[in-house]
Amino acid sequence: MRNRQVVLRQRPVDRLDVSHFAVVDGAIGRPGEGEVLVRTVLLSIDPANRAWMQGRTYRDRLEDGQVMEGFVLGEVIDANGTDIAAGTIVECQGKWQEFAVLPRALVRPIEVLGPLEQHLGLLGINGVTAYFGLYRVGCVAAGETVVVSAAAGATGHLVGQLAKLRGARVVGIAGSEAKNAVLVEKLGFDAAVDHHRDDLLASLRAACPNGVDVYFDNVGGPVLDTALRVMNPHGRIVCCGVVSQYDTSSPAPGPRGVPGLLITKRLRMEGFLAPDFLDEWPEATRKLADLADSGEIVGLVTMTDGLESAPEALVGLLAGKNVGKAVVRVAPDPVRRSPEP
Amino acid sequence: MRNRQVVLRQRPVDRLDVSHFAVVDGAIGRPGEGEVLVRTVLLSIDPANRAWMQGRTYRDRLEDGQVMEGFVLGEVIDANGTDIAAGTIVECQGKWQEFAVLPRALVRPIEVLGPLEQHLGLLGINGVTAYFGLYRVGCVAAGETVVVSAAAGATGHLVGQLAKLRGARVVGIAGSEAKNAVLVEKLGFDAAVDHHRDDLLASLRAACPNGVDVYFDNVGGPVLDTALRVMNPHGRIVCCGVVSQYDTSSPAPGPRGVPGLLITKRLRMEGFLAPDFLDEWPEATRKLADLADSGEIVGLVTMTDGLESAPEALVGLLAGKNVGKAVVRVAPDPVRRSPEP
């Protein structure tokens, strides 16, 4: 049985395109002592995938010829005598391939609380990222104004909905009128502005008549530069991502308002990674699942089919084509037993 | 009786020099209802004086032809029937002149806890700035490493001493070997590095073998850019001043590590102004006075004599010539009654 894999043929110098990848046939391998065999069901497509090619993140750089890495949801098909049951749905930092032999210690069984693809977004990393970033780092309060960039993205569209639930006024920044229509009409954002507009500053000022108390930044670059200018005194800037700077070899300079505007407006700017709150993930995820069950929050997903579509899905994500979480389906959902009555 | 005044003849386009000022003779004026007449005793010379000429701070820009503004310590010489006693020492946001008629509401009597010039530094704005910035914004803990820039400046030299008292390792960044010698030999800093050195990054790394937990930034610009690279995960950057950017019309771009390094290292970067903690100033100032009395903290002062020396004192400050607080003496200390036994 073959194991199709997507290899990073050559690291991009500037913009990533599908020619940087190749699909190859690899071997499946046999699990050794303490290892399990996992079939990939879904791949999570994330801006971070591109950042790893630049070599300046929290992990080692991806190199030419490596099988592409990413977050994976899969099914254990050979438990190999470990403490895990065959058929268990697991998540792991994995690779873009159909099968993987992995140390048992590196796969984490998940408690299935909704459709599997939601476990890559709302019930996965993006949900806890939005939750802890907004509530714990941004400390948003009712009546405040929250602006979120990449607002139609996997994390952004959840941030806006969580801020609404907290009683804030919410303004999204996204890259097209179509996305902005989704934010306002489908997700309840109070307003949305297009960052491709000539005058983002004027648009933001018009959309935020009381200024901005919390800016949840997923993009960095010129949008962050502009957002600093509309912040209210004692505002908070939650630094979550720098997606504007991932797909380039010539990063923008830092925002001009740092540190000057931080001082005159007494702003707090704080970076975080969701794993900083790992102990509290189960509780947060259950709350998010309850909100999804009651229809108070919606996890949007852009799904594409087939392992070989993963490069295009990532290139599309970087070009801003997705709405919500980008997911690639590699295999059909496993047939799961119904829960006990 | 004449009232000598220093006027901002022309706002500087780039570097400030003494030719931008003129000394003129003005009138003294008579206090009206609710006003008092104050004789200037000491002028506080601060980087902020230069920033006000740029028009992008927490106050209106200084304009051509205005009497130069600054923080002043003076003596009430005509109380004009207000609730204040003649002879009272007061502080106020005043002007570079010998006498001022001021609304009673804008002058604040001070409780004299030490030499008057200390009330412009250690027992004044710089003391509380260092105290609240380091303890409340930086949240420094024993055993951590603190780096402070403009370390021989009015605030910086106090930050370093307060950090030592809290049990931290302290490294100063200043602009000359002579200043650095003062920091290490006289004030107990563990090390000091010269920001004019070719390789500030390597010098900082050598001086901070355990990385940096708190960076107290008084300068912004390239030094901040470098400091971001030596920060430990979960470090705090206290944004107090941007003195590298005050004396120029072409500000440096923002630091490249913002927001990227803030995220990967989960850094918090926060601006503050000491008046945010105004309610707690009396308590903090008493603690600082006690530390000064016991010799545990030293407030250094660079004093120059005569109102007409103020422009040169400010130009010198911006060129990094002072050590500690820069003060101009405009009149001799008033003769004060001894405290009651």
Side-chain angles (χ1 to χ4, degrees), chain B residues 24-298:
Chain B
V24 302
D25 278 348
I28 291 187
R30 288 170 152 276
E33 174 74 25
E35 293 181 329
V36 297
L37 179 63
V38 175
R39 180 204 307 269
T40 305
V41 177
L42 299 170
L43 295 180
S44 177
I45 303 295
D46 300 298
N49 298 149
R50 175 65 181 88
W52 301 338
M53 300 173 191
Q54 291 180 319
R56 42 187 167 124
T57 67
Y58 47 87
R59 50 152 287 157
D60 288 344
R61 186 172 79 173
L62 287 170
E63 298 297 346
D64 293 354
Q66 277 187 261
V67 178
M68 182 63 195
E69 299 191 14
F71 198 75
V72 161
L73 220 62
E75 178 191 12
V76 175
I77 54 174
D78 181 353
N80 194 32
T82 63
D83 67 329
I84 205 168
T88 302
I89 303 294
V90 295
E91 60 182 16
C92 61
Q93 198 58 42
K95 294 179 195 287
W96 289 10
Q97 58 187 358
E98 292 178 298
F99 298 94
V101 171
L102 291 161
R104 163 67 184 93
L106 295 187
V107 304
R108 194 163 57 150
I110 66 164
E111 182 190 8
V112 178
L113 298 169
L116 282 194
E117 62 272 20
Q118 293 294 342
H119 279 273
L120 291 178
L122 172 61
L123 305 177
I125 186 75
N126 302 112
V128 288
T129 296
Y131 187 95
F132 293 109
L134 184 68
Y135 292 158
R136 214 56 85 69
V137 184
C139 304
V140 63
E144 290 191 320
T145 296
V146 175
V147 168
V148 55
S149 55
T155 299
H157 83 291
L158 303 176
V159 168
Q161 295 179 78
L162 288 173
K164 284 303 297 178
L165 288 169
R166 190 54 64 96
R169 174 176 175 81
V170 175
V171 176
I173 303 175
S176 75
E177 288 304 312
K179 288 185 190 175
N180 285 343
V182 171
L183 299 180
V184 173
E185 289 158 25
K186 187 159 180 176
L187 302 183
F189 282 49
D190 295 288
V193 304
D194 184 343
H195 66 82
H196 293 125
R197 274 196 218 166
D198 284 343
D199 198 341
L200 177 62
L201 181 62
S203 306
L204 272 180
R205 285 202 169 124
C208 306
N210 298 320
V212 178
D213 302 293
V214 176
Y215 171 51
F216 195 108
D217 183 34
N218 290 306
V219 302
V223 174
L224 170 58
D225 203 285
T226 302
L228 276 161
R229 299 170 66 186
V230 296
M231 295 302 295
N232 286 332
H234 300 287
R236 286 83 67 199
I237 297 174
V238 182
C239 299
C240 180
V242 200
V243 67
S244 74
Q245 303 303 305
Y246 294 157
D247 199 19
T248 176
S249 57
S250 50
R256 285 164 301 174
V258 174
L261 290 178
L262 300 193
I263 300 170
T264 53
K265 298 188 187 185
R266 290 92 99 203
L267 305 178
R268 174 161 58 79
M269 195 167 183
E270 188 164 357
F272 80 108
L273 296 172
D276 295 340
F277 302 94
L278 198 58
D279 290 350
E280 302 173 64
W281 280 24
E283 187 192 337
T285 305
R286 283 189 171 282
K287 282 186 188 164
L288 291 166
D290 288 345
L291 291 170
D293 286 345
S294 63
E296 291 172 274
I297 193 167
V298 176

Side-chain angles (χ1 to χ4, degrees), chain A:
Chain A
M1 204 158 67
R2 66 182 190 167
N3 183 18
R4 276 184 311 152
Q5 301 174 313
V6 177
V7 167
L8 180 63
R9 210 173 49 76
Q10 190 172 28
R11 288 199 311 117
V13 174
D14 199 350
R15 290 225 157 194
L16 183 74
D17 65 60
V18 295
S19 74
H20 294 108
F21 297 95
V23 181
V24 303
D25 279 347
I28 292 188
R30 287 171 153 277
E33 174 76 25
E35 293 180 328
V36 297
L37 179 62
V38 175
R39 180 204 308 266
T40 306
V41 177
L42 298 170
L43 294 181
S44 176
I45 304 294
D46 301 297
N49 297 150
R50 175 64 181 89
W52 300 338
M53 300 173 190
Q54 290 181 318
R56 41 186 167 123
T57 68
Y58 46 88
R59 51 152 286 158
D60 287 346
R61 187 171 78 172
L62 287 170
E63 298 296 348
D64 293 355
Q66 276 188 262
V67 179
M68 183 62 196
E69 300 192 13
F71 198 76
V72 161
L73 220 62
E75 178 191 13
V76 174
I77 54 174
D78 182 353
N80 194 33
T82 62
D83 66 330
I84 204 166
T88 302
I89 304 295
V90 295
E91 59 182 17
C92 62
Q93 198 59 42
K95 294 180 196 286
W96 289 11
Q97 59 187 357
E98 292 178 298
F99 298 95
V101 170
L102 291 160
R104 162 68 184 91
L106 295 188
V107 304
R108 194 163 56 150
I110 66 165
E111 181 189 8
V112 178
L113 299 169
L116 281 194
E117 62 273 19
Q118 293 294 343
H119 279 273
L120 291 177
L122 171 61
L123 304 178
I125 187 77
N126 303 112
V128 289
T129 296
Y131 186 95
F132 293 110
L134 184 68
Y135 293 158
R136 214 55 85 69
V137 184
C139 304
V140 63
E144 290 192 318
T145 296
V146 175
V147 168
V148 55
S149 55
T155 299
H157 82 291
L158 303 176
V159 169
Q161 294 178 79
L162 288 173
K164 284 303 297 177
L165 289 169
R166 190 53 65 96
R169 174 176 174 81
V170 175
V171 176
I173 303 175
S176 75
E177 288 305 311
K179 287 184 188 174
N180 284 343
V182 171
L183 299 180
V184 173
E185 290 158 24
K186 188 159 181 177
L187 304 182
F189 283 48
D190 295 289
V193 303
D194 183 344
H195 66 82
H196 293 124
R197 272 196 219 169
D198 283 344
D199 198 341
L200 178 62
L201 181 61
S203 306
L204 272 181
R205 285 203 169 123
C208 306
N210 298 321
V212 178
D213 302 294
V214 176
Y215 171 51
F216 194 108
D217 183 36
N218 289 306
V219 302
V223 174
L224 170 58
D225 203 285
T226 302
L228 277 162
R229 299 171 66 188
V230 295
M231 295 303 294
N232 286 332
H234 301 288
R236 288 81 69 199
I237 296 174
V238 182
C239 298
C240 179
V242 200
V243 69
S244 74
Q245 303 303 305
Y246 293 157
D247 199 18
T248 176
S249 57
S250 50
R256 286 164 300 174
V258 174
L261 290 178
L262 300 193
I263 301 169
T264 53
K265 298 189 188 185
R266 290 89 101 203
L267 304 177
R268 174 161 58 79
M269 196 167 181
E270 188 164 358
F272 79 106
L273 296 172
D276 295 339
F277 302 94
L278 199 57
D279 290 349
E280 302 174 64
W281 280 24
E283 188 191 338
T285 304
R286 284 187 171 281
K287 284 186 187 165
L288 291 166
D290 289 344
L291 291 170
D293 287 345
S294 62
E296 291 171 274
I297 193 167
V298 176
L300 299 179
V301 173
T302 295
M303 175 88 80
T304 51
D305 260 320
L307 177 72
E308 67 286 347
S309 73
E312 198 175 339
L314 179 56
V315 171
L317 177 85
L318 295 168
K321 290 198 178 152
N322 64 303
V323 173
K325 180 73 193 184
V327 175
V328 169
R329 178 171 293 286
V330 177
D333 272 3
V335 177
R336 298 205 304 281
R337 283 177 302 234
S338 303
E340 311 277 323

